[in-house]
Amino acid sequence: LATGLPCVLSDISSHREMAINKKCVKIVDSNNLIEIIKESKNNSNNSLQEISELSRNIVIQNFTLEIMTEKYIKSYLSLIEKR
């Protein structure tokens, strides 16, 4: 995502967290992997440019070092408070 490329990811929780925009991140299992890859290959240049911009923006808005650090701090504090 950070490089502006769409991602095809396996269906696990950490990958689902990244699937904010279904155009940029495709979650696959063994039943739809080939279909998703074919779809990705058939995108037009305009569509690829849009996906590239969306992908980059997802990272900037959700997964920068600062944002992820803040999320981890909140998670850790939440765990401490529950004890």
Side-chain angles (χ1 to χ4, degrees):
L1 285 174
T3 61
L5 296 174
C7 295
V8 177
L9 304 171
S10 57
D11 190 10
I12 61 174
S13 62
S14 58
H15 290 170
R16 287 189 298 270
E17 178 184 352
M18 295 175 55
I20 294 168
N21 186 307
K22 304 291 188 229
K23 284 185 178 183
C24 304
V25 177
K26 303 290 184 179
I27 302 296
V28 300
D29 57 31
S30 59
N31 297 320
N32 67 350
L33 176 60
I34 293 172
E35 176 186 333
I36 296 296
I37 291 172
K38 285 180 181 178
E39 281 179 20
S40 296
K41 286 177 62 176
N42 291 332
N43 284 326
S44 69
N45 284 342
N46 288 340
S47 179
L48 291 174
Q49 181 62 37
E50 177 187 1
I51 290 169
S52 178
E53 291 172 14
L54 286 170
S55 296
R56 185 80 178 117
N57 286 335
I58 286 171
V59 172
I60 291 168
Q61 294 171 4
N62 299 282
F63 299 108
T64 63
L65 177 61
E66 293 82 11
I67 291 170
M68 292 305 296
T69 300
E70 186 63 32
K71 287 180 181 182
Y72 280 119
I73 290 170
K74 285 180 183 178
S75 292
Y76 291 139
L77 290 175
S78 173
L79 289 172
I80 291 169
E81 289 173 1
K82 289 181 182 180
R83 296 184 112 209

